[in-house]
Amino acid sequence: MVEEIAKISINKVSDSRLPNVDWDNLPFGKVFSDHMFTMDYFDGQWQNPEIVPYGDISMSPATSVLHYGQSCFEGMKAHKDNEGNVLLFRVNDNIKRLNISATRMCMPEVPEDVFLEALKSLLNLDRGWVPSMDGYSLYIRPFLIATDPYVGIRPSVTYKFMIFTCPVGAYYSSAVPVKIETEYSRAVRGGTGYAKAAGNYAAALYPAKLGQDQGFTQLIWTDAKEHKYIEESGTMNIIFKIDGKLLSPMSGDTILDGITKRSVLDIARSWGMQVEERKITVQEIITAFENGSMEEAFGAGTAATIAPINRIHFNGQDYLLPNAGENDFSLKILNHLNNYKKGVVADEFGWINSI
Ligand code: PLP
Ligand code: COI
């Protein structure tokens, strides 16, 4: 595949759309950079790597991904440092996770070197789209879809891998109220919860909408068997600060192994904080509210960054958290992570790739 990388064909836009971007009104995920990467899998190998102007793709109405959801994706971000270098945060972890998802969805892996080279070429071409202003970044969306025009059920024998990017600001603009979900389930043991599979998100839309109709931005999912243990949210992992200690449900086959969460916990440990990743019961969370030891709750995710939670609803009751103040861990870690991603603080964990 290394020879393939050398052959990425590049077809540049004649006129960049960059001057038309309204940075003051930038909706998340709706503004797309000039170029995208595409590559096809057929005859048992990845072929035709290309960078082309961002645009529609055409496919047969029988394309299997449209019917059976054989699809997975990733989400990562690029930032710019003060010298104008484009910095990727923990890109190798995202690449590995895409392949974990691909295997679970019965799809071919994308060779890591090809993925990285494709991404670097794309970002090099669209480096003008990587924002340098505070609070902004370039969101990167790699994805893999089954492309056989075939109505029967079997793994596709053809696939498409693509990467496009969007300049973005905040995903959540204020603290989020959440509801602990005890009726619907997102993931079951032996299922696809740990994969970033498109179908996981589709299946979560209806319960999430019911929650939104009641005023909750997100759900906190619980285990499907007993609805007794906290799992994660629909767009982010969950971290609590109780009695000075960070607590988060341990990753397993029902929870996406979030890179932001892992980063938060690694940094917290390096700061000497106590961190526990383990099974956490809903009751434990409620008890922490009742005895006054619950200090903070927040989500951690690439799009969401660090999203403080201001209200947790469970069993007809609201449990309130104060809006994050400047001494809160969530704000401290948000600022530290932002600085880390922008190269303002030293890359002590070796998480940054510079382009
Ligand atoms: N959980 C779910 C369901 C997500 O969609 C995301 C976002 O990617 C996360 C957790 C956080 O993962 P990461 O920090 O790797 O973005
Ligand atoms: C991400 O954080 O990258 C995700 O995939 C979550 C999605 C809601 C944008």
mmCIF file with all atom_site columns, all heavy atoms in Angstrom, residues 8 22 35 51 58 72 75 86 89 112 145 153-154 159 174 192 241 245 251 265-266 271 285 296 300 327:
data_model
loop_
_atom_site.group_PDB
_atom_site.id
_atom_site.type_symbol
_atom_site.label_atom_id
_atom_site.label_alt_id
_atom_site.label_comp_id
_atom_site.label_asym_id
_atom_site.label_entity_id
_atom_site.label_seq_id
_atom_site.pdbx_PDB_ins_code
_atom_site.Cartn_x
_atom_site.Cartn_y
_atom_site.Cartn_z
_atom_site.occupancy
_atom_site.B_iso_or_equiv
_atom_site.pdbx_formal_charge
_atom_site.auth_seq_id
_atom_site.auth_comp_id
_atom_site.auth_asym_id
_atom_site.auth_atom_id
_atom_site.pdbx_PDB_model_num
ATOM 1   N N   . ILE A 1 8   ? -1.601  9.217   -4.695 1.00 0.00 ? 8   ILE A N   1
ATOM 2   C CA  . ILE A 1 8   ? -2.831  9.978   -4.429 1.00 0.00 ? 8   ILE A CA  1
ATOM 3   C C   . ILE A 1 8   ? -2.950  11.023  -5.537 1.00 0.00 ? 8   ILE A C   1
ATOM 4   O O   . ILE A 1 8   ? -2.063  11.865  -5.690 1.00 0.00 ? 8   ILE A O   1
ATOM 5   C CB  . ILE A 1 8   ? -2.781  10.710  -3.058 1.00 0.00 ? 8   ILE A CB  1
ATOM 6   C CG1 . ILE A 1 8   ? -2.732  9.723   -1.904 1.00 0.00 ? 8   ILE A CG1 1
ATOM 7   C CG2 . ILE A 1 8   ? -3.992  11.630  -2.889 1.00 0.00 ? 8   ILE A CG2 1
ATOM 8   C CD1 . ILE A 1 8   ? -2.623  10.379  -0.522 1.00 0.00 ? 8   ILE A CD1 1
ATOM 9   N N   . ASP A 1 22  ? -18.514 32.641  7.019  1.00 0.00 ? 22  ASP A N   1
ATOM 10  C CA  . ASP A 1 22  ? -18.912 33.622  8.022  1.00 0.00 ? 22  ASP A CA  1
ATOM 11  C C   . ASP A 1 22  ? -18.493 33.087  9.397  1.00 0.00 ? 22  ASP A C   1
ATOM 12  O O   . ASP A 1 22  ? -19.227 32.337  10.035 1.00 0.00 ? 22  ASP A O   1
ATOM 13  C CB  . ASP A 1 22  ? -20.441 33.823  7.948  1.00 0.00 ? 22  ASP A CB  1
ATOM 14  C CG  . ASP A 1 22  ? -20.933 34.822  8.986  1.00 0.00 ? 22  ASP A CG  1
ATOM 15  O OD1 . ASP A 1 22  ? -20.106 35.331  9.781  1.00 0.00 ? 22  ASP A OD1 1
ATOM 16  O OD2 . ASP A 1 22  ? -22.160 35.075  9.005  1.00 0.00 ? 22  ASP A OD2 1
ATOM 17  N N   . HIS A 1 35  ? -11.696 20.565  -0.124 1.00 0.00 ? 35  HIS A N   1
ATOM 18  C CA  . HIS A 1 35  ? -11.376 19.257  -0.719 1.00 0.00 ? 35  HIS A CA  1
ATOM 19  C C   . HIS A 1 35  ? -11.808 18.085  0.158  1.00 0.00 ? 35  HIS A C   1
ATOM 20  O O   . HIS A 1 35  ? -12.066 18.258  1.354  1.00 0.00 ? 35  HIS A O   1
ATOM 21  C CB  . HIS A 1 35  ? -9.866  19.157  -0.962 1.00 0.00 ? 35  HIS A CB  1
ATOM 22  C CG  . HIS A 1 35  ? -9.366  20.192  -1.919 1.00 0.00 ? 35  HIS A CG  1
ATOM 23  N ND1 . HIS A 1 35  ? -8.865  21.403  -1.483 1.00 0.00 ? 35  HIS A ND1 1
ATOM 24  C CD2 . HIS A 1 35  ? -9.323  20.206  -3.267 1.00 0.00 ? 35  HIS A CD2 1
ATOM 25  C CE1 . HIS A 1 35  ? -8.519  22.131  -2.542 1.00 0.00 ? 35  HIS A CE1 1
ATOM 26  N NE2 . HIS A 1 35  ? -8.794  21.426  -3.641 1.00 0.00 ? 35  HIS A NE2 1
ATOM 27  N N   . ILE A 1 51  ? -7.669  13.046  -4.034 1.00 0.00 ? 51  ILE A N   1
ATOM 28  C CA  . ILE A 1 51  ? -8.198  14.239  -3.365 1.00 0.00 ? 51  ILE A CA  1
ATOM 29  C C   . ILE A 1 51  ? -8.894  15.056  -4.441 1.00 0.00 ? 51  ILE A C   1
ATOM 30  O O   . ILE A 1 51  ? -8.316  15.328  -5.501 1.00 0.00 ? 51  ILE A O   1
ATOM 31  C CB  . ILE A 1 51  ? -7.083  15.035  -2.674 1.00 0.00 ? 51  ILE A CB  1
ATOM 32  C CG1 . ILE A 1 51  ? -6.572  14.219  -1.468 1.00 0.00 ? 51  ILE A CG1 1
ATOM 33  C CG2 . ILE A 1 51  ? -7.588  16.407  -2.222 1.00 0.00 ? 51  ILE A CG2 1
ATOM 34  C CD1 . ILE A 1 51  ? -5.411  14.837  -0.728 1.00 0.00 ? 51  ILE A CD1 1
ATOM 35  N N   . SER A 1 58  ? -22.207 9.999   -6.175 1.00 0.00 ? 58  SER A N   1
ATOM 36  C CA  . SER A 1 58  ? -23.406 9.339   -6.684 1.00 0.00 ? 58  SER A CA  1
ATOM 37  C C   . SER A 1 58  ? -23.300 7.847   -6.390 1.00 0.00 ? 58  SER A C   1
ATOM 38  O O   . SER A 1 58  ? -22.203 7.290   -6.321 1.00 0.00 ? 58  SER A O   1
ATOM 39  C CB  . SER A 1 58  ? -23.564 9.594   -8.178 1.00 0.00 ? 58  SER A CB  1
ATOM 40  O OG  . SER A 1 58  ? -22.604 8.870   -8.880 1.00 0.00 ? 58  SER A OG  1
ATOM 41  N N   . CYS A 1 72  ? -19.030 2.844   9.280  1.00 0.00 ? 72  CYS A N   1
ATOM 42  C CA  . CYS A 1 72  ? -18.475 3.353   10.534 1.00 0.00 ? 72  CYS A CA  1
ATOM 43  C C   . CYS A 1 72  ? -17.701 4.636   10.233 1.00 0.00 ? 72  CYS A C   1
ATOM 44  O O   . CYS A 1 72  ? -17.411 4.935   9.071  1.00 0.00 ? 72  CYS A O   1
ATOM 45  C CB  . CYS A 1 72  ? -17.596 2.316   11.225 1.00 0.00 ? 72  CYS A CB  1
ATOM 46  S SG  . CYS A 1 72  ? -16.188 1.771   10.269 1.00 0.00 ? 72  CYS A SG  1
ATOM 47  N N   . GLY A 1 75  ? -14.093 10.794  14.308 1.00 0.00 ? 75  GLY A N   1
ATOM 48  C CA  . GLY A 1 75  ? -14.162 12.240  14.481 1.00 0.00 ? 75  GLY A CA  1
ATOM 49  C C   . GLY A 1 75  ? -12.897 12.684  15.171 1.00 0.00 ? 75  GLY A C   1
ATOM 50  O O   . GLY A 1 75  ? -12.530 12.121  16.205 1.00 0.00 ? 75  GLY A O   1
ATOM 51  N N   . VAL A 1 86  ? -0.113  22.969  11.336 1.00 0.00 ? 86  VAL A N   1
ATOM 52  C CA  . VAL A 1 86  ? -1.374  22.284  11.620 1.00 0.00 ? 86  VAL A CA  1
ATOM 53  C C   . VAL A 1 86  ? -1.057  21.106  12.541 1.00 0.00 ? 86  VAL A C   1
ATOM 54  O O   . VAL A 1 86  ? -0.188  20.285  12.244 1.00 0.00 ? 86  VAL A O   1
ATOM 55  C CB  . VAL A 1 86  ? -2.024  21.794  10.309 1.00 0.00 ? 86  VAL A CB  1
ATOM 56  C CG1 . VAL A 1 86  ? -3.246  20.929  10.607 1.00 0.00 ? 86  VAL A CG1 1
ATOM 57  C CG2 . VAL A 1 86  ? -2.416  22.987  9.445  1.00 0.00 ? 86  VAL A CG2 1
ATOM 58  N N   . PHE A 1 89  ? -4.347  15.923  16.901 1.00 0.00 ? 89  PHE A N   1
ATOM 59  C CA  . PHE A 1 89  ? -4.332  15.408  18.271 1.00 0.00 ? 89  PHE A CA  1
ATOM 60  C C   . PHE A 1 89  ? -4.643  13.911  18.265 1.00 0.00 ? 89  PHE A C   1
ATOM 61  O O   . PHE A 1 89  ? -5.703  13.507  17.806 1.00 0.00 ? 89  PHE A O   1
ATOM 62  C CB  . PHE A 1 89  ? -5.377  16.172  19.099 1.00 0.00 ? 89  PHE A CB  1
ATOM 63  C CG  . PHE A 1 89  ? -5.427  15.776  20.543 1.00 0.00 ? 89  PHE A CG  1
ATOM 64  C CD1 . PHE A 1 89  ? -4.383  16.113  21.403 1.00 0.00 ? 89  PHE A CD1 1
ATOM 65  C CD2 . PHE A 1 89  ? -6.514  15.068  21.047 1.00 0.00 ? 89  PHE A CD2 1
ATOM 66  C CE1 . PHE A 1 89  ? -4.435  15.756  22.747 1.00 0.00 ? 89  PHE A CE1 1
ATOM 67  C CE2 . PHE A 1 89  ? -6.566  14.710  22.387 1.00 0.00 ? 89  PHE A CE2 1
ATOM 68  C CZ  . PHE A 1 89  ? -5.525  15.053  23.240 1.00 0.00 ? 89  PHE A CZ  1
ATOM 69  N N   . GLU A 1 112 ? -3.013  1.814   8.185  1.00 0.00 ? 112 GLU A N   1
ATOM 70  C CA  . GLU A 1 112 ? -2.763  3.019   8.986  1.00 0.00 ? 112 GLU A CA  1
ATOM 71  C C   . GLU A 1 112 ? -1.918  4.050   8.244  1.00 0.00 ? 112 GLU A C   1
ATOM 72  O O   . GLU A 1 112 ? -2.186  5.249   8.306  1.00 0.00 ? 112 GLU A O   1
ATOM 73  C CB  . GLU A 1 112 ? -2.070  2.629   10.301 1.00 0.00 ? 112 GLU A CB  1
ATOM 74  C CG  . GLU A 1 112 ? -2.988  1.833   11.218 1.00 0.00 ? 112 GLU A CG  1
ATOM 75  C CD  . GLU A 1 112 ? -2.350  1.486   12.556 1.00 0.00 ? 112 GLU A CD  1
ATOM 76  O OE1 . GLU A 1 112 ? -1.369  2.147   12.942 1.00 0.00 ? 112 GLU A OE1 1
ATOM 77  O OE2 . GLU A 1 112 ? -2.844  0.546   13.209 1.00 0.00 ? 112 GLU A OE2 1
ATOM 78  N N   . ILE A 1 145 ? -17.843 3.129   4.060  1.00 0.00 ? 145 ILE A N   1
ATOM 79  C CA  . ILE A 1 145 ? -19.194 2.627   3.747  1.00 0.00 ? 145 ILE A CA  1
ATOM 80  C C   . ILE A 1 145 ? -19.138 1.459   2.760  1.00 0.00 ? 145 ILE A C   1
ATOM 81  O O   . ILE A 1 145 ? -18.239 1.370   1.930  1.00 0.00 ? 145 ILE A O   1
ATOM 82  C CB  . ILE A 1 145 ? -20.106 3.738   3.146  1.00 0.00 ? 145 ILE A CB  1
ATOM 83  C CG1 . ILE A 1 145 ? -19.442 4.405   1.938  1.00 0.00 ? 145 ILE A CG1 1
ATOM 84  C CG2 . ILE A 1 145 ? -20.498 4.752   4.200  1.00 0.00 ? 145 ILE A CG2 1
ATOM 85  C CD1 . ILE A 1 145 ? -20.351 5.366   1.182  1.00 0.00 ? 145 ILE A CD1 1
ATOM 86  N N   . ILE A 1 153 ? -28.479 -9.789  1.865  1.00 0.00 ? 153 ILE A N   1
ATOM 87  C CA  . ILE A 1 153 ? -27.681 -9.495  3.066  1.00 0.00 ? 153 ILE A CA  1
ATOM 88  C C   . ILE A 1 153 ? -26.422 -10.352 3.083  1.00 0.00 ? 153 ILE A C   1
ATOM 89  O O   . ILE A 1 153 ? -26.497 -11.580 3.183  1.00 0.00 ? 153 ILE A O   1
ATOM 90  C CB  . ILE A 1 153 ? -28.497 -9.752  4.345  1.00 0.00 ? 153 ILE A CB  1
ATOM 91  C CG1 . ILE A 1 153 ? -29.788 -8.953  4.297  1.00 0.00 ? 153 ILE A CG1 1
ATOM 92  C CG2 . ILE A 1 153 ? -27.650 -9.469  5.593  1.00 0.00 ? 153 ILE A CG2 1
ATOM 93  C CD1 . ILE A 1 153 ? -30.017 -7.997  5.393  1.00 0.00 ? 153 ILE A CD1 1
ATOM 94  N N   . ARG A 1 154 ? -25.326 -9.678  2.956  1.00 0.00 ? 154 ARG A N   1
ATOM 95  C CA  . ARG A 1 154 ? -23.993 -10.283 3.139  1.00 0.00 ? 154 ARG A CA  1
ATOM 96  C C   . ARG A 1 154 ? -23.013 -9.126  3.203  1.00 0.00 ? 154 ARG A C   1
ATOM 97  O O   . ARG A 1 154 ? -23.348 -8.016  2.786  1.00 0.00 ? 154 ARG A O   1
ATOM 98  C CB  . ARG A 1 154 ? -23.637 -11.240 1.989  1.00 0.00 ? 154 ARG A CB  1
ATOM 99  C CG  . ARG A 1 154 ? -23.698 -10.621 0.599  1.00 0.00 ? 154 ARG A CG  1
ATOM 100 C CD  . ARG A 1 154 ? -22.602 -11.150 -0.307 1.00 0.00 ? 154 ARG A CD  1
ATOM 101 N NE  . ARG A 1 154 ? -22.765 -10.759 -1.693 1.00 0.00 ? 154 ARG A NE  1
ATOM 102 C CZ  . ARG A 1 154 ? -22.472 -9.557  -2.212 1.00 0.00 ? 154 ARG A CZ  1
ATOM 103 N NH1 . ARG A 1 154 ? -22.067 -8.552  -1.419 1.00 0.00 ? 154 ARG A NH1 1
ATOM 104 N NH2 . ARG A 1 154 ? -22.613 -9.304  -3.489 1.00 0.00 ? 154 ARG A NH2 1
ATOM 105 N N   . TYR A 1 159 ? -16.118 -1.145  -1.060 1.00 0.00 ? 159 TYR A N   1
ATOM 106 C CA  . TYR A 1 159 ? -16.265 -0.138  -0.010 1.00 0.00 ? 159 TYR A CA  1
ATOM 107 C C   . TYR A 1 159 ? -15.710 1.186   -0.489 1.00 0.00 ? 159 TYR A C   1
ATOM 108 O O   . TYR A 1 159 ? -14.913 1.235   -1.448 1.00 0.00 ? 159 TYR A O   1
ATOM 109 C CB  . TYR A 1 159 ? -15.501 -0.563  1.261  1.00 0.00 ? 159 TYR A CB  1
ATOM 110 C CG  . TYR A 1 159 ? -16.088 -1.807  1.875  1.00 0.00 ? 159 TYR A CG  1
ATOM 111 C CD1 . TYR A 1 159 ? -15.646 -3.077  1.483  1.00 0.00 ? 159 TYR A CD1 1
ATOM 112 C CD2 . TYR A 1 159 ? -17.115 -1.724  2.807  1.00 0.00 ? 159 TYR A CD2 1
ATOM 113 C CE1 . TYR A 1 159 ? -16.213 -4.226  2.012  1.00 0.00 ? 159 TYR A CE1 1
ATOM 114 C CE2 . TYR A 1 159 ? -17.682 -2.870  3.347  1.00 0.00 ? 159 TYR A CE2 1
ATOM 115 C CZ  . TYR A 1 159 ? -17.229 -4.117  2.942  1.00 0.00 ? 159 TYR A CZ  1
ATOM 116 O OH  . TYR A 1 159 ? -17.804 -5.242  3.466  1.00 0.00 ? 159 TYR A OH  1
ATOM 117 N N   . SER A 1 174 ? -23.522 25.842  25.735 1.00 0.00 ? 174 SER A N   1
ATOM 118 C CA  . SER A 1 174 ? -23.667 26.096  27.176 1.00 0.00 ? 174 SER A CA  1
ATOM 119 C C   . SER A 1 174 ? -23.736 24.755  27.906 1.00 0.00 ? 174 SER A C   1
ATOM 120 O O   . SER A 1 174 ? -23.767 23.692  27.273 1.00 0.00 ? 174 SER A O   1
ATOM 121 C CB  . SER A 1 174 ? -24.936 26.909  27.435 1.00 0.00 ? 174 SER A CB  1
ATOM 122 O OG  . SER A 1 174 ? -26.021 26.294  26.813 1.00 0.00 ? 174 SER A OG  1
ATOM 123 N N   . THR A 1 192 ? -22.631 -3.656  19.313 1.00 0.00 ? 192 THR A N   1
ATOM 124 C CA  . THR A 1 192 ? -21.686 -2.801  18.576 1.00 0.00 ? 192 THR A CA  1
ATOM 125 C C   . THR A 1 192 ? -21.352 -1.500  19.316 1.00 0.00 ? 192 THR A C   1
ATOM 126 O O   . THR A 1 192 ? -20.790 -0.582  18.727 1.00 0.00 ? 192 THR A O   1
ATOM 127 C CB  . THR A 1 192 ? -22.262 -2.432  17.196 1.00 0.00 ? 192 THR A CB  1
ATOM 128 O OG1 . THR A 1 192 ? -23.515 -1.761  17.409 1.00 0.00 ? 192 THR A OG1 1
ATOM 129 C CG2 . THR A 1 192 ? -22.483 -3.655  16.327 1.00 0.00 ? 192 THR A CG2 1
ATOM 130 N N   . LYS A 1 241 ? -16.770 14.220  39.168 1.00 0.00 ? 241 LYS A N   1
ATOM 131 C CA  . LYS A 1 241 ? -15.786 14.521  40.220 1.00 0.00 ? 241 LYS A CA  1
ATOM 132 C C   . LYS A 1 241 ? -16.540 14.458  41.542 1.00 0.00 ? 241 LYS A C   1
ATOM 133 O O   . LYS A 1 241 ? -17.464 15.252  41.802 1.00 0.00 ? 241 LYS A O   1
ATOM 134 C CB  . LYS A 1 241 ? -15.157 15.899  39.999 1.00 0.00 ? 241 LYS A CB  1
ATOM 135 C CG  . LYS A 1 241 ? -14.100 16.240  41.022 1.00 0.00 ? 241 LYS A CG  1
ATOM 136 C CD  . LYS A 1 241 ? -13.207 17.394  40.514 1.00 0.00 ? 241 LYS A CD  1
ATOM 137 C CE  . LYS A 1 241 ? -12.301 17.919  41.608 1.00 0.00 ? 241 LYS A CE  1
ATOM 138 N NZ  . LYS A 1 241 ? -12.965 18.997  42.388 1.00 0.00 ? 241 LYS A NZ  1
ATOM 139 N N   . LYS A 1 245 ? -12.229 13.238  43.672 1.00 0.00 ? 245 LYS A N   1
ATOM 140 C CA  . LYS A 1 245 ? -11.733 12.130  42.853 1.00 0.00 ? 245 LYS A CA  1
ATOM 141 C C   . LYS A 1 245 ? -12.476 12.088  41.513 1.00 0.00 ? 245 LYS A C   1
ATOM 142 O O   . LYS A 1 245 ? -13.684 12.349  41.475 1.00 0.00 ? 245 LYS A O   1
ATOM 143 C CB  . LYS A 1 245 ? -12.030 10.852  43.643 1.00 0.00 ? 245 LYS A CB  1
ATOM 144 C CG  . LYS A 1 245 ? -11.249 9.653   43.216 1.00 0.00 ? 245 LYS A CG  1
ATOM 145 C CD  . LYS A 1 245 ? -11.766 8.366   43.841 1.00 0.00 ? 245 LYS A CD  1
ATOM 146 C CE  . LYS A 1 245 ? -11.913 8.304   45.330 1.00 0.00 ? 245 LYS A CE  1
ATOM 147 N NZ  . LYS A 1 245 ? -12.420 7.028   45.837 1.00 0.00 ? 245 LYS A NZ  1
ATOM 148 N N   . SER A 1 251 ? -14.335 1.547   30.059 1.00 0.00 ? 251 SER A N   1
ATOM 149 C CA  . SER A 1 251 ? -14.745 1.175   28.703 1.00 0.00 ? 251 SER A CA  1
ATOM 150 C C   . SER A 1 251 ? -14.909 -0.334  28.633 1.00 0.00 ? 251 SER A C   1
ATOM 151 O O   . SER A 1 251 ? -14.270 -1.072  29.353 1.00 0.00 ? 251 SER A O   1
ATOM 152 C CB  . SER A 1 251 ? -13.680 1.623   27.705 1.00 0.00 ? 251 SER A CB  1
ATOM 153 O OG  . SER A 1 251 ? -13.554 3.022   27.780 1.00 0.00 ? 251 SER A OG  1
ATOM 154 N N   . LEU A 1 265 ? -8.204  11.727  31.731 1.00 0.00 ? 265 LEU A N   1
ATOM 155 C CA  . LEU A 1 265 ? -7.813  10.913  32.887 1.00 0.00 ? 265 LEU A CA  1
ATOM 156 C C   . LEU A 1 265 ? -6.294  10.793  32.994 1.00 0.00 ? 265 LEU A C   1
ATOM 157 O O   . LEU A 1 265 ? -5.734  10.839  34.087 1.00 0.00 ? 265 LEU A O   1
ATOM 158 C CB  . LEU A 1 265 ? -8.490  9.531   32.816 1.00 0.00 ? 265 LEU A CB  1
ATOM 159 C CG  . LEU A 1 265 ? -10.032 9.560   32.816 1.00 0.00 ? 265 LEU A CG  1
ATOM 160 C CD1 . LEU A 1 265 ? -10.599 8.148   32.899 1.00 0.00 ? 265 LEU A CD1 1
ATOM 161 C CD2 . LEU A 1 265 ? -10.622 10.417  33.936 1.00 0.00 ? 265 LEU A CD2 1
ATOM 162 N N   . ASP A 1 266 ? -5.622  10.691  31.838 1.00 0.00 ? 266 ASP A N   1
ATOM 163 C CA  . ASP A 1 266 ? -4.148  10.623  31.871 1.00 0.00 ? 266 ASP A CA  1
ATOM 164 C C   . ASP A 1 266 ? -3.554  11.921  32.418 1.00 0.00 ? 266 ASP A C   1
ATOM 165 O O   . ASP A 1 266 ? -2.618  11.903  33.223 1.00 0.00 ? 266 ASP A O   1
ATOM 166 C CB  . ASP A 1 266 ? -3.584  10.382  30.454 1.00 0.00 ? 266 ASP A CB  1
ATOM 167 C CG  . ASP A 1 266 ? -3.775  8.935   30.009 1.00 0.00 ? 266 ASP A CG  1
ATOM 168 O OD1 . ASP A 1 266 ? -4.138  8.095   30.853 1.00 0.00 ? 266 ASP A OD1 1
ATOM 169 O OD2 . ASP A 1 266 ? -3.589  8.653   28.805 1.00 0.00 ? 266 ASP A OD2 1
ATOM 170 N N   . TRP A 1 271 ? -1.357  15.013  37.141 1.00 0.00 ? 271 TRP A N   1
ATOM 171 C CA  . TRP A 1 271 ? -1.471  16.130  38.085 1.00 0.00 ? 271 TRP A CA  1
ATOM 172 C C   . TRP A 1 271 ? -1.613  15.625  39.531 1.00 0.00 ? 271 TRP A C   1
ATOM 173 O O   . TRP A 1 271 ? -1.865  16.403  40.447 1.00 0.00 ? 271 TRP A O   1
ATOM 174 C CB  . TRP A 1 271 ? -2.703  16.995  37.743 1.00 0.00 ? 271 TRP A CB  1
ATOM 175 C CG  . TRP A 1 271 ? -2.546  17.834  36.505 1.00 0.00 ? 271 TRP A CG  1
ATOM 176 C CD1 . TRP A 1 271 ? -1.400  18.045  35.793 1.00 0.00 ? 271 TRP A CD1 1
ATOM 177 C CD2 . TRP A 1 271 ? -3.581  18.577  35.844 1.00 0.00 ? 271 TRP A CD2 1
ATOM 178 N NE1 . TRP A 1 271 ? -1.666  18.870  34.718 1.00 0.00 ? 271 TRP A NE1 1
ATOM 179 C CE2 . TRP A 1 271 ? -2.995  19.215  34.731 1.00 0.00 ? 271 TRP A CE2 1
ATOM 180 C CE3 . TRP A 1 271 ? -4.947  18.778  36.074 1.00 0.00 ? 271 TRP A CE3 1
ATOM 181 C CZ2 . TRP A 1 271 ? -3.714  20.025  33.852 1.00 0.00 ? 271 TRP A CZ2 1
ATOM 182 C CZ3 . TRP A 1 271 ? -5.676  19.586  35.205 1.00 0.00 ? 271 TRP A CZ3 1
ATOM 183 C CH2 . TRP A 1 271 ? -5.052  20.208  34.106 1.00 0.00 ? 271 TRP A CH2 1
ATOM 184 N N   . ILE A 1 285 ? -24.282 7.668   42.116 1.00 0.00 ? 285 ILE A N   1
ATOM 185 C CA  . ILE A 1 285 ? -24.314 9.068   41.657 1.00 0.00 ? 285 ILE A CA  1
ATOM 186 C C   . ILE A 1 285 ? -25.366 9.842   42.440 1.00 0.00 ? 285 ILE A C   1
ATOM 187 O O   . ILE A 1 285 ? -25.121 10.960  42.917 1.00 0.00 ? 285 ILE A O   1
ATOM 188 C CB  . ILE A 1 285 ? -24.615 9.107   40.123 1.00 0.00 ? 285 ILE A CB  1
ATOM 189 C CG1 . ILE A 1 285 ? -23.487 8.419   39.347 1.00 0.00 ? 285 ILE A CG1 1
ATOM 190 C CG2 . ILE A 1 285 ? -24.855 10.523  39.615 1.00 0.00 ? 285 ILE A CG2 1
ATOM 191 C CD1 . ILE A 1 285 ? -22.092 8.916   39.675 1.00 0.00 ? 285 ILE A CD1 1
ATOM 192 N N   . GLU A 1 296 ? -18.655 17.788  40.437 1.00 0.00 ? 296 GLU A N   1
ATOM 193 C CA  . GLU A 1 296 ? -18.794 18.167  39.018 1.00 0.00 ? 296 GLU A CA  1
ATOM 194 C C   . GLU A 1 296 ? -19.195 16.945  38.209 1.00 0.00 ? 296 GLU A C   1
ATOM 195 O O   . GLU A 1 296 ? -18.870 15.808  38.580 1.00 0.00 ? 296 GLU A O   1
ATOM 196 C CB  . GLU A 1 296 ? -17.461 18.674  38.449 1.00 0.00 ? 296 GLU A CB  1
ATOM 197 C CG  . GLU A 1 296 ? -16.943 19.944  39.076 1.00 0.00 ? 296 GLU A CG  1
ATOM 198 C CD  . GLU A 1 296 ? -15.578 20.308  38.504 1.00 0.00 ? 296 GLU A CD  1
ATOM 199 O OE1 . GLU A 1 296 ? -15.413 20.334  37.271 1.00 0.00 ? 296 GLU A OE1 1
ATOM 200 O OE2 . GLU A 1 296 ? -14.666 20.559  39.313 1.00 0.00 ? 296 GLU A OE2 1
ATOM 201 N N   . ALA A 1 300 ? -17.024 14.313  27.871 1.00 0.00 ? 300 ALA A N   1
ATOM 202 C CA  . ALA A 1 300 ? -15.741 14.479  27.193 1.00 0.00 ? 300 ALA A CA  1
ATOM 203 C C   . ALA A 1 300 ? -15.833 13.833  25.816 1.00 0.00 ? 300 ALA A C   1
ATOM 204 O O   . ALA A 1 300 ? -16.166 12.656  25.698 1.00 0.00 ? 300 ALA A O   1
ATOM 205 C CB  . ALA A 1 300 ? -14.630 13.822  28.012 1.00 0.00 ? 300 ALA A CB  1
ATOM 206 N N   . ASN A 1 327 ? -12.577 27.801  39.087 1.00 0.00 ? 327 ASN A N   1
ATOM 207 C CA  . ASN A 1 327 ? -11.734 26.851  39.831 1.00 0.00 ? 327 ASN A CA  1
ATOM 208 C C   . ASN A 1 327 ? -12.113 25.406  39.577 1.00 0.00 ? 327 ASN A C   1
ATOM 209 O O   . ASN A 1 327 ? -11.511 24.490  40.122 1.00 0.00 ? 327 ASN A O   1
ATOM 210 C CB  . ASN A 1 327 ? -11.828 27.131  41.337 1.00 0.00 ? 327 ASN A CB  1
ATOM 211 C CG  . ASN A 1 327 ? -11.190 28.464  41.666 1.00 0.00 ? 327 ASN A CG  1
ATOM 212 O OD1 . ASN A 1 327 ? -10.189 28.836  41.040 1.00 0.00 ? 327 ASN A OD1 1
ATOM 213 N ND2 . ASN A 1 327 ? -11.793 29.192  42.592 1.00 0.00 ? 327 ASN A ND2 1
#
